[in-house]
Amino acid sequence: PTETPIPGVMLFRGSTTAASTCNVVPSVFAIMAQGAKRIQVGDEAYEYDARHYMISSVELPMFSRITCAS
């Protein structure tokens, strides 16, 4: 992660689609500048990309994988 001058705002960059990760994600508003990501929360799967965003007001355990990277 890269910190920004804005408190609480961080940038993440991923360039490979090979591996899934498992994390507990804090409350978040996530947008993609390019590419796409698939997350799994329990039995539900969600995809977000430059046209879709993710927002969560609570901590969530999730699996995630970058599905499109350039």
Side-chain angles (χ1 to χ4, degrees):
T2 302
E3 294 200 27
T4 68
I6 304 167
V9 175
M10 299 181 74
L11 301 175
F12 294 85
R13 180 178 186 269
S15 58
T16 180
T17 61
S20 294
T21 61
C22 182
N23 295 321
V24 175
V25 178
S27 58
V28 65
F29 172 62
I31 58 173
M32 304 290 279
Q34 67 183 53
K37 191 173 205 176
R38 179 181 178 90
I39 60 170
Q40 178 108 21
V41 180
D43 294 333
E44 299 289 325
Y46 304 94
E47 298 217 20
Y48 65 102
D49 55 24
R51 297 176 300 152
H52 302 92
Y53 59 90
M54 180 182 75
I55 190 165
S56 170
S57 60
V58 296
E59 287 188 344
L60 291 174
M62 68 176 67
F63 286 99
S64 63
R65 184 172 70 86
I66 297 170
T67 56
C68 180
S70 58

